[in-house]
Amino acid sequence: MGLLPEFGNLFFTLAAFIVALSIIVTVHEYGHYIVGRWSGIHAEVFSLGFGPVLFSRTDKRGTQWQVAALPFGGYVKFLGDANAASAGADDEVMSHLDAKERRRTMHGAPLWARAATIFAGPAFNFIFSILIFTAFLAVQGLPDKTPRVGPLFAMPGLVELQEGDMITAIEGQPTPELTDFYRVGSDIAPAETVLYTVERDGQTLTVQGPHPIPARAAGIALNSAARDASMQTGDVVLSVNETPVWAFSQLPPLVSDGAGAPVALQVWRGGSELDLSLTPRRTDLPLPDGGFETRWLIGLQSGTFFEHPTRSVGVVEAVPLAVAQIGEIVTNSISGLYHMITGAISTCNLSGPVGIATTSGEMASDGAASFIWFIAVLSTAVGLLNLFPIPILDGGHLVFHAYEALVGRPPNERVMGYLMSFGLVLLGAMMLFALGNDLFC
């Protein structure tokens, strides 16, 4: 009976991982399928999962759509393929096809059609992520550019600000824009109370409130010490190792000074005070100008003590912001891999299936919005991974197609077979390495 809660958590985590992976794989493989169809290449099988077939149906075009027993991937098998990876032609099948039928195979189609079909998988992953990020921006909007007070969060101590107040200055320093609010707030020395100049109902008032960027958990990072200690969004840190804390800026040095030693936190939550002990984790953080910085963190995310009123965002504004989000994920991923290879940061930053599954479960437990956002991030990562120039991945196929375009003929089949075997071994080694990180880091 004591194991039932752990089993329930394991089942939930596994289910979240399968759902996330199945959605991403479906999007990826549908990209291959639909662009192949548009290019005149016939798909014989569209499979979600591997192994024994649980359900299947054949459509009017002759494509078999199926769900298999092992839900950890998928594939599209085109006419004439020797295997699901389109790594080679089935010579026996190809020998019985006339010229018209050969055109409907992956190996008999023009180079442009093959390249477009291969590239479509990662491209659909990126497009899918852009659509989700755009939808989030359209639904949630963006913070208004002015520092107007929205609904107030529960906080300890004196809070004289009211919803609707326009903050025009903090400790006498003007804050005409929201960016000024955060700039001034970051510069204000930690204090239990801070003076705010506000406009309220046509009057200018001076009121007291907490530090503009208090030691309040606006969010809890994944796989963090704070999450392991069951800290919650909205928790306010009152002290670290008995040192009083009023501003979020006090937390990093107090936590890092111990170089990984446990820290004692006194936390305010809904009117009650809790005593917690957390062991910071070494974390490699990307820097704005490139590179990484290694710090000891407990996993709290900063914010202010009130919600920001939002403004609506149109598609014209939202799509470039969504594309920029994709660019940031790709840039940080490539930079992280480079710095791991060069030894600048720990290779423990590379997660494998267990780590991804755990993250899936944590995001799903945070709510549907967090889980959908995670699927978009993971879809971008899968699209990027598939573009790596490793034989057997889409990027490896595109390298072969580029060679064919330059030389005028495809690579030697024996050489390509060796490269495919090498790619399979390399990919397997990478997966085992990442799995080792999941288990031992």
Side-chain angles (χ1 to χ4, degrees):
M1 291 296 294
L3 292 175
L4 284 178
E6 291 298 324
F7 179 78
N9 290 337
L10 176 63
F11 179 80
F12 180 80
T13 296
L14 187 61
F17 177 55
I18 291 173
V19 169
L21 187 63
S22 297
I23 291 172
I24 292 167
V25 167
T26 300
V27 169
H28 182 93
E29 297 301 333
Y30 187 78
H32 289 315
Y33 162 78
I34 194 63
V35 172
R37 198 182 88 187
W38 292 340
S39 303
I41 301 173
H42 173 64
E44 290 188 314
V45 179
F46 186 113
S47 179
L48 180 59
F50 299 96
V53 177
L54 302 177
F55 166 80
S56 69
R57 75 173 185 85
T58 302
D59 64 19
K60 62 182 181 181
R61 293 184 178 86
T63 300
Q64 178 176 308
W65 299 76
Q66 64 184 39
V67 176
L70 301 177
F72 300 108
Y75 63 89
V76 175
K77 184 178 182 297
F78 292 102
L79 178 64
D81 287 348
N83 51 55
S86 298
D90 187 327
D91 293 333
E92 182 177 353
V93 171
M94 295 292 288
S95 65
H96 292 87
L97 301 178
D98 57 27
K100 184 177 180 180
E101 285 295 310
R102 289 179 66 88
R103 171 58 182 84
R104 299 179 67 228
T105 68
M106 174 66 82
H107 307 278
L111 179 60
W112 67 265
R114 286 178 277 141
T117 301
I118 293 298
F119 180 72
F124 268 53
N125 283 128
F126 294 133
I127 293 170
F128 177 68
S129 299
I130 291 170
L131 291 175
I132 291 181
F133 291 145
T134 300
F136 266 88
L137 288 166
V139 172
Q140 296 180 347
L142 289 174
D144 189 78
K145 294 182 179 180
T146 58
R148 185 177 296 278
V149 178
L152 291 153
F153 299 123
M155 292 288 295
L158 182 63
V159 183
E160 295 181 339
L161 288 92
Q162 298 180 9
E163 183 177 353
D165 286 349
M166 177 68 74
I167 300 175
T168 58
I170 305 173
E171 292 288 344
Q173 300 185 47
T175 56
E177 301 284 343
L178 185 60
T179 53
D180 298 310
F181 173 88
Y182 279 102
R183 176 183 55 80
V184 173
S186 299
D187 294 337
I188 294 292
E192 187 173 2
T193 58
V194 172
L195 294 179
Y196 295 86
T197 304
V198 302
E199 292 181 359
R200 179 188 300 168
D201 299 329
Q203 294 182 316
T204 300
L205 305 173
T206 299
V207 297
Q208 298 183 73
H211 192 277
I213 308 176
R216 176 184 180 274
I220 309 295
L222 299 173
N223 302 318
S224 64
R227 188 173 286 262
D228 289 346
S230 299
M231 288 194 69
Q232 300 176 9
T233 298
D235 285 354
V236 180
V237 179
L238 301 178
S239 68
V240 176
N241 293 332
E242 299 185 352
T243 300
V245 170
W246 298 294
F248 198 92
S249 59
Q250 295 175 267
L251 295 178
L254 289 172
V255 170
S256 298
D257 283 348
V263 293
L265 268 60
Q266 187 179 38
V267 173
W268 183 92
R269 179 187 297 168
S272 301
E273 295 183 4
L274 309 173
D275 292 317
L276 302 174
S277 178
L278 284 74
T279 302
R281 293 182 179 172
R282 178 175 172 170
T283 307
D284 298 307
L285 300 174
L287 298 172
D289 56 349
F292 283 79
E293 176 186 20
T294 299
R295 292 166 56 186
W296 292 94
L297 303 175
I298 57 176
L300 301 184
Q301 298 165 355
S302 65
T304 190
F305 57 93
F306 57 88
E307 292 184 22
H308 294 298
T310 58
R311 60 183 178 87
S312 59
V313 179
V315 174
V316 174
E317 183 182 6
V319 170
L321 292 173
V323 172
Q325 181 75 44
I326 300 290
E328 184 178 352
I329 296 170
V330 169
T331 301
N332 287 340
S333 298
I334 294 175
S335 177
L337 287 173
Y338 170 78
H339 284 86
M340 277 188 279
I341 292 171
T342 59
I345 62 175
S346 171
T347 55
C348 286
N349 286 282
L350 183 66
S351 294
V354 175
I356 296 172
T358 301
T359 303
S360 300
E362 290 183 354
M363 294 299 279
S365 65
D366 285 349
S370 296
F371 185 54
I372 294 171
W373 183 273
F374 170 72
I375 290 175
V377 173
L378 190 59
S379 179
T380 301
V382 169
L384 174 63
L385 174 65
N386 273 276
L387 286 178
F388 285 179
I390 299 175
I392 210 170
L393 293 180
D394 295 332
H397 286 283
L398 292 173
V399 170
F400 295 148
H401 292 331
Y403 173 88
E404 182 177 348
L406 291 172
V407 177
R409 65 177 185 277
N412 180 275
E413 287 192 12
R414 175 176 292 183
V415 172
M416 194 158 65
Y418 288 141
L419 290 174
M420 286 290 182
S421 299
F422 170 76
L424 184 61
V425 171
L426 178 61
L427 197 61
M430 290 173 60
M431 292 180 65
L432 287 175
F433 182 80
L435 181 59
N437 283 352
D438 292 340
L439 300 177
F440 302 114
C441 277

